[in-house]
Amino acid sequence: MTTMIRVENVTKAFTLHNQGGVRLPVFDDVNFSVEAGEALVLAGASGAGKSSLLRILYGNYLPSAGHIHITHAGRPVDIVTAVPRTVLDIRRRTLGFVSQFLRVIPRVSALDIVRDPLLARGISPDQASERAKAMLARLNLPERLWNLAPATFSGGEQQRVNIARSFVDPSAIMLIDEPTASLDAANRDVVVELIAEARAKGSAIVGIFHDEAVREKVATRYLDITAFRKAA
Amino acid sequence: MTLHVSPPDTALEPAPLLSAAGVSRFYGERIGCEGVSFDLWPGEVLGIVGESGSGKSTLLRCLAGIDRPDEGEVLFRGGAEPLDIYSVPEQERRRLMRTAWGIVHQNPRDGLRMDVSAGGNVGERLMDRGDRHYGQIRERALDWLSRVEIAGARIDDRPRQFSGGMQQRLQIARVLVSEPRLVFMDEPTGGLDVSVQARLLDLLRVLVRDLGLAAIIVTHDLAVARLLTDRLMVMKDGHVVEQGLTDQVLDDPHHAYTQLLTSAVLTV
């Protein structure tokens, strides 16, 4: 087994300087590891800090204390102390984040959005287009939308473009935040399949899934982060 | 418009392209900027944000070789040996600014020659670096006009016949045609209509990534910073109060001032 993520003594609190300096503790002294091929599902009530933890793993939030060792190019790298260009390199090559929202870039077509990670990893434009189209088709995005920029797409359509982009070439580590929120049952099932396929290829998954049926199909293990709530 | 291909892995580059150490500039008693130190690596895009008067433009002028800092040094590694840009003769520094660097001014009039044709504005930079073949210069100018989405038929028009957005795109072509390794931009989308801004931003984003440029961008617009930059420095009263990965600084700001800046943004 290869450990892909090792979380060591991670504590998070937000200090709101412009609201009287109030300090909001989120969790305290979190420790866990995720192996290649595992799907760890974060559990805990709304507000327990599941999304904050996922963002910390991505280097988007900074923990107040502790370390996150990400296995990148065969070596553990602490994403908490890594310099920005190293974090960006980790994200480009090892660490993917799937949110329910697509960050729309003006004028870029759905197909190009999905193709982009393949091109970045050196796959030929023709092959990249073919794989991107196959992925969009699998997620039932109508072909007439492929060459349009998704700014005018519905929430569910944008979400599927985002999922296609994330799973067209799954990263070694995939952080997934509520990917099925506005999808119908058929597309939800496709997402469940895509996660299973990524796992079969060795991806380590950490995710938050609101939908109980999806959660049960995806999870190989649960972590209830309410356990790390600091006793008041 | 195609999406960019991410630049090659720059994590293992051996040395920073630009290093600032303790850069300070004072206006009498008043601090312009004080004690700014950082390294910029090849291919990295650094944003400097802060409100008017925070010292971000003062800092940019020191870094870009325009205004000599009162304290500190700016090292540029264009070749094997790092060069302290303020210890070399004026002439050498100007040559550097014309060849290895580019500066995109907020007001295109500051970066363009308004009485010279669009083609001439672009071609001039090539002649500066020693190109002499007229046909090739014109061909390169045409290529760059198309890359910044200006019709080739406008090559002989003067910039004053262009709209503000076109002038800004022309300035960008003029700066990038000589293939600089480092570009400084001062509020590149300031003064433009929002719809024109979006087009320019997308163009800049694609060019910066495709060319693997290192860039330092001063902006007060956090959305511009998020779209274009890898890293941010937040300035207040002449000092850097917070810095780090752009999305981390914007999504989980730690300094009181950064929290104020990010919470003041209206989302649409």
Side-chain angles (χ1 to χ4, degrees):
Chain A
M1 293 269 259
T2 313
T3 302
M4 295 305 292
I5 305 174
R6 191 162 63 81
V7 176
E8 188 189 344
N9 308 118
V10 164
T11 294
K12 179 65 182 172
F14 292 100
T15 305
L16 309 179
H17 293 287
N18 300 300
Q19 294 178 54
V22 62
R23 191 171 180 276
L24 301 174
V26 185
F27 40 67
D28 211 45
D29 202 21
V30 178
N31 288 279
F32 67 89
S33 296
V34 188
E35 311 287 324
E38 263 197 306
L40 179 70
V41 169
L42 302 179
S46 177
K50 301 184 294 290
S51 285
S52 292
L53 180 57
L54 216 54
R55 283 164 173 263
I56 287 174
L57 296 179
Y58 194 57
N60 177 234
Y61 283 5
L62 208 59
S64 315
H67 301 281
I68 312 276
H69 306 283
I70 301 284
T71 302
H72 173 59
R75 281 195 319 249
V77 182
D78 182 5
I79 201 165
V80 177
T81 54
V83 296
R85 64 204 176 91
T86 304
V87 177
L88 293 173
D89 186 53
I90 293 172
R91 289 180 182 177
R92 187 158 53 238
R93 296 198 287 154
T94 300
L95 189 61
F97 194 100
V98 191
S99 75
Q100 42 183 315
F101 304 106
L102 178 69
R103 193 174 282 284
V104 179
I105 298 169
R107 303 200 298 173
V108 180
S109 76
L111 187 62
D112 281 336
I113 290 173
V114 178
R115 246 160 52 106
D116 179 49
L118 294 167
L119 297 176
R121 289 171 182 168
I123 291 163
S124 75
D126 284 352
Q127 214 188 338
S129 296
E130 215 164 286
R131 283 174 63 178
K133 285 176 185 167
M135 187 54 76
L136 286 169
R138 198 168 161 193
L139 283 155
N140 308 302
L141 192 79
E143 194 169 341
R144 63 190 153 79
L145 298 180
W146 294 358
N147 289 309
L148 302 179
T152 54
F153 291 9
S154 74
E157 285 161 354
Q158 289 192 6
Q159 200 176 348
R160 279 179 279 155
V161 172
N162 204 29
I163 290 166
R165 174 183 167 88
S166 303
F167 284 96
V168 73
D169 187 33
S171 304
I173 302 172
M174 307 272 285
L175 308 173
I176 306 179
D177 191 355
E178 297 275 17
T180 57
S182 48
L183 299 186
D184 59 27
N187 284 310
R188 246 188 340 254
D189 289 343
V190 177
V191 174
V192 170
E193 281 169 29
L194 289 172
I195 293 173
E197 287 167 23
R199 212 160 59 70
K201 287 184 202 153
S203 293
I205 313 268
V206 182
I208 302 168
F209 302 93
H210 200 73
D211 185 305
E212 199 179 323
V214 171
R215 194 161 61 210
E216 300 211 326
K217 281 182 208 155
V218 168
T220 61
R221 193 154 63 92
Y222 289 92
L223 179 74
D224 185 351
I225 70 162
T226 321
F228 300 102
R229 203 107 235 195
K230 199 172 190 173
Chain B
M1 178 62 46
T2 55
L3 205 76
H4 67 82
V5 178
S6 295
D9 175 18
T10 49
L12 301 171
E13 287 278 351
L17 189 62
L18 188 84
S19 301
V23 170
S24 308
R25 184 167 164 85
F26 306 102
Y27 300 103
E29 292 284 283
R30 207 165 59 74
I31 295 171
C33 62
E34 188 176 38
V36 179
S37 302
F38 68 90
D39 290 322
L40 182 77
W41 298 77
E44 206 170 35
V45 182
L46 169 71
I48 305 176
V49 298
E51 39 192 39
S52 324
S54 61
K56 52 191 198 304
S57 292
T58 299
L59 175 62
L60 190 80
R61 294 175 67 85
C62 289
L63 298 172
I66 301 169
D67 291 337
R68 177 183 294 272
D70 295 308
E71 292 167 12
E73 58 180 24
V74 180
L75 294 179
F76 178 69
R77 282 181 195 76
E81 288 299 306
L83 198 70
D84 178 346
I85 65 163
Y86 288 104
S87 73
V88 298
E90 171 86 17
Q91 206 183 351
E92 169 80 5
R93 186 163 68 248
R94 293 208 168 274
R95 193 193 55 80
L96 201 67
M97 287 168 71
R98 274 203 314 272
T99 54
W101 297 358
I103 300 175
V104 176
H105 299 271
Q106 173 173 3
N107 187 339
R109 286 164 186 277
D110 296 335
L112 291 173
R113 304 232 331 238
M114 300 304 285
D115 51 350
V116 170
S117 71
N121 265 287
V122 179
E124 192 176 44
R125 291 270 300 197
L126 294 172
M127 283 156 70
D128 274 350
R129 65 163 203 198
D131 293 17
R132 286 294 172 263
H133 189 290
Y134 177 78
Q136 280 170 10
I137 290 173
R138 194 172 166 92
E139 202 174 300
R140 294 261 297 159
L142 267 173
D143 175 46
W144 267 96
L145 289 179
S146 86
R147 289 174 80 163
V148 298
E149 302 171 12
I150 295 175
R154 307 291 306 262
I155 190 168
D156 295 317
D157 291 350
R158 307 268 184 278
R160 61 177 88 260
Q161 295 163 271
F162 289 178
S163 68
M166 272 174 83
Q167 287 180 1
Q168 194 57 300
R169 295 203 303 276
L170 179 62
Q171 188 191 188
I172 288 164
R174 175 179 161 96
V175 167
L176 296 184
V177 68
S178 58
E179 296 167 347
R181 300 190 59 195
L182 176 58
V183 177
F184 299 92
M185 301 188 203
D186 189 3
E187 303 278 7
T189 60
L192 297 175
D193 289 342
V194 175
S195 59
V196 180
Q197 269 189 26
R199 181 176 186 193
L200 188 71
L201 278 175
D202 180 47
L203 190 73
L204 279 175
R205 184 185 63 84
V206 171
L207 289 174
V208 164
R209 301 289 144 138
D210 283 357
L211 302 172
L213 287 177
I216 300 182
I217 302 176
V218 160
T219 178
H220 68 278
D221 186 333
L222 300 182
V224 169
R226 191 189 282 274
L227 188 66
L228 292 181
T229 69
D230 301 323
R231 267 166 78 186
L232 272 191
M233 294 201 309
V234 181
M235 289 193 74
K236 181 181 184 342
D237 301 331
H239 295 98
V240 175
V241 295
E242 182 161 0
Q243 59 177 313
L245 191 67
T246 296
D247 62 90
Q248 189 263 304
V249 170
L250 294 179
D251 293 339
D252 188 16
H254 280 62
H255 191 277
Y257 179 67
T258 318
Q259 289 186 356
L260 194 64
L261 270 187
T262 53
S263 65
V265 176
L266 295 173
T267 48
V268 288

